[in-house]
mmCIF file of all heavy atoms in Angstrom:
data_model
loop_
_atom_site.group_PDB
_atom_site.id
_atom_site.type_symbol
_atom_site.label_atom_id
_atom_site.label_comp_id
_atom_site.label_asym_id
_atom_site.label_seq_id
_atom_site.Cartn_x
_atom_site.Cartn_y
_atom_site.Cartn_z
ATOM 1 N N THR R 1214 8.565 20.836 24.447
ATOM 2 C CA THR R 1214 9.396 21.011 25.618
ATOM 3 C C THR R 1214 9.088 20.117 26.770
ATOM 4 O O THR R 1214 7.895 19.635 26.840
ATOM 5 C CB THR R 1214 9.349 22.531 26.052
ATOM 6 O OG1 THR R 1214 7.848 22.789 26.458
ATOM 7 C CG2 THR R 1214 9.703 23.509 24.958
ATOM 8 N N ALA R 1215 10.041 19.892 27.580
ATOM 9 C CA ALA R 1215 9.809 19.118 28.861
ATOM 10 C C ALA R 1215 9.088 17.814 28.563
ATOM 11 O O ALA R 1215 7.948 17.618 28.990
ATOM 12 C CB ALA R 1215 9.047 19.915 29.891
ATOM 13 N N SER R 1216 9.643 16.982 27.588
ATOM 14 C CA SER R 1216 8.912 15.811 27.090
ATOM 15 C C SER R 1216 8.542 14.850 28.201
ATOM 16 O O SER R 1216 9.206 14.710 29.248
ATOM 17 C CB SER R 1216 9.741 15.194 26.007
ATOM 18 O OG SER R 1216 10.889 14.683 26.592
ATOM 19 N N ARG R 1217 7.452 14.128 27.891
ATOM 20 C CA ARG R 1217 6.921 13.040 28.834
ATOM 21 C C ARG R 1217 6.869 11.744 28.060
ATOM 22 O O ARG R 1217 6.826 11.772 26.809
ATOM 23 C CB ARG R 1217 5.511 13.457 29.324
ATOM 24 C CG ARG R 1217 5.453 14.861 29.923
ATOM 25 C CD ARG R 1217 4.093 15.315 30.107
ATOM 26 N NE ARG R 1217 3.942 16.609 30.737
ATOM 27 C CZ ARG R 1217 2.825 17.469 30.744
ATOM 28 N NH1 ARG R 1217 1.708 16.929 30.273
ATOM 29 N NH2 ARG R 1217 2.923 18.564 31.322
ATOM 30 N N ALA R 1218 6.821 10.664 28.760
ATOM 31 C CA ALA R 1218 6.625 9.337 28.168
ATOM 32 C C ALA R 1218 5.500 9.301 27.263
ATOM 33 O O ALA R 1218 5.425 8.635 26.236
ATOM 34 C CB ALA R 1218 6.607 8.269 29.192
ATOM 35 N N ALA R 1219 4.385 10.002 27.595
ATOM 36 C CA ALA R 1219 3.104 9.998 26.885
ATOM 37 C C ALA R 1219 3.353 10.717 25.500
ATOM 38 O O ALA R 1219 2.462 10.556 24.615
ATOM 39 C CB ALA R 1219 2.091 10.620 27.640
ATOM 40 N N ASP R 1220 4.441 11.461 25.303
ATOM 41 C CA ASP R 1220 4.682 12.139 23.945
ATOM 42 C C ASP R 1220 5.211 11.191 22.993
ATOM 43 O O ASP R 1220 5.422 11.573 21.803
ATOM 44 C CB ASP R 1220 5.653 13.269 24.221
ATOM 45 C CG ASP R 1220 5.089 14.393 25.063
ATOM 46 O OD1 ASP R 1220 3.863 14.651 25.087
ATOM 47 O OD2 ASP R 1220 5.862 15.051 25.797
ATOM 48 N N THR R 1221 5.477 9.923 23.356
ATOM 49 C CA THR R 1221 6.022 8.883 22.459
ATOM 50 C C THR R 1221 4.987 8.726 21.369
ATOM 51 O O THR R 1221 3.846 8.355 21.725
ATOM 52 C CB THR R 1221 6.285 7.634 23.189
ATOM 53 O OG1 THR R 1221 7.373 7.784 24.118
ATOM 54 C CG2 THR R 1221 6.602 6.512 22.217
ATOM 55 N N ALA R 1222 5.327 8.971 20.168
ATOM 56 C CA ALA R 1222 4.373 8.838 19.094
ATOM 57 C C ALA R 1222 5.094 9.225 17.707
ATOM 58 O O ALA R 1222 6.293 9.544 17.764
ATOM 59 C CB ALA R 1222 3.227 9.904 19.254
ATOM 60 N N SER R 1223 4.407 9.183 16.639
ATOM 61 C CA SER R 1223 4.933 9.689 15.416
ATOM 62 C C SER R 1223 4.262 11.057 15.121
ATOM 63 O O SER R 1223 3.100 11.213 15.425
ATOM 64 C CB SER R 1223 4.589 8.687 14.255
ATOM 65 O OG SER R 1223 5.293 7.568 14.320
ATOM 66 N N TYR R 1224 5.080 11.954 14.628
ATOM 67 C CA TYR R 1224 4.604 13.302 14.360
ATOM 68 C C TYR R 1224 4.727 13.559 12.925
ATOM 69 O O TYR R 1224 5.797 13.309 12.248
ATOM 70 C CB TYR R 1224 5.486 14.241 15.260
ATOM 71 C CG TYR R 1224 5.214 14.169 16.712
ATOM 72 C CD1 TYR R 1224 5.911 13.152 17.432
ATOM 73 C CD2 TYR R 1224 4.316 15.003 17.392
ATOM 74 C CE1 TYR R 1224 5.629 12.965 18.808
ATOM 75 C CE2 TYR R 1224 4.041 14.870 18.681
ATOM 76 C CZ TYR R 1224 4.653 13.800 19.392
ATOM 77 O OH TYR R 1224 4.405 13.677 20.785
ATOM 78 N N PHE R 1225 3.681 14.150 12.366
ATOM 79 C CA PHE R 1225 3.610 14.431 10.923
ATOM 80 C C PHE R 1225 3.302 15.853 10.649
ATOM 81 O O PHE R 1225 2.472 16.481 11.334
ATOM 82 C CB PHE R 1225 2.462 13.628 10.279
ATOM 83 C CG PHE R 1225 2.660 12.142 10.372
ATOM 84 C CD1 PHE R 1225 2.200 11.451 11.469
ATOM 85 C CD2 PHE R 1225 3.284 11.486 9.352
ATOM 86 C CE1 PHE R 1225 2.338 10.100 11.575
ATOM 87 C CE2 PHE R 1225 3.411 10.056 9.374
ATOM 88 C CZ PHE R 1225 2.986 9.384 10.499
ATOM 89 N N CYS R 1226 4.001 16.425 9.713
ATOM 90 C CA CYS R 1226 3.633 17.756 9.182
ATOM 91 C C CYS R 1226 2.796 17.544 7.939
ATOM 92 O O CYS R 1226 2.895 16.573 7.220
ATOM 93 C CB CYS R 1226 4.777 18.667 8.913
ATOM 94 S SG CYS R 1226 5.782 18.103 7.450
ATOM 95 N N ALA R 1227 1.826 18.427 7.714
ATOM 96 C CA ALA R 1227 0.931 18.378 6.588
ATOM 97 C C ALA R 1227 0.857 19.769 5.985
ATOM 98 O O ALA R 1227 0.539 20.732 6.755
ATOM 99 C CB ALA R 1227 -0.395 17.774 6.994
ATOM 100 N N THR R 1228 0.968 19.824 4.751
ATOM 101 C CA THR R 1228 0.834 21.186 4.091
ATOM 102 C C THR R 1228 -0.585 21.230 3.334
ATOM 103 O O THR R 1228 -0.964 20.280 2.726
ATOM 104 C CB THR R 1228 1.966 21.435 3.138
ATOM 105 O OG1 THR R 1228 2.139 20.407 2.249
ATOM 106 C CG2 THR R 1228 3.254 21.624 3.991
ATOM 107 N N ASP R 1229 -1.081 22.392 3.351
ATOM 108 C CA ASP R 1229 -2.370 22.647 2.546
ATOM 109 C C ASP R 1229 -1.891 23.700 1.538
ATOM 110 O O ASP R 1229 -1.723 24.914 1.884
ATOM 111 C CB ASP R 1229 -3.455 23.230 3.454
ATOM 112 C CG ASP R 1229 -4.678 23.520 2.779
ATOM 113 O OD1 ASP R 1229 -4.700 23.311 1.514
ATOM 114 O OD2 ASP R 1229 -5.652 24.007 3.403
ATOM 115 N N ALA R 1230 -1.832 23.288 0.331
ATOM 116 C CA ALA R 1230 -1.477 24.120 -0.813
ATOM 117 C C ALA R 1230 -2.661 24.240 -1.769
ATOM 118 O O ALA R 1230 -2.450 24.730 -2.934
ATOM 119 C CB ALA R 1230 -0.233 23.608 -1.514
#
Side-chain angles (χ1 to χ4, degrees):
Chain R
T1214 61
S1216 63
R1217 305 166 182 170
D1220 295 328
T1221 294
S1223 291
Y1224 293 82
F1225 297 88
C1226 69
T1228 52
D1229 178 1

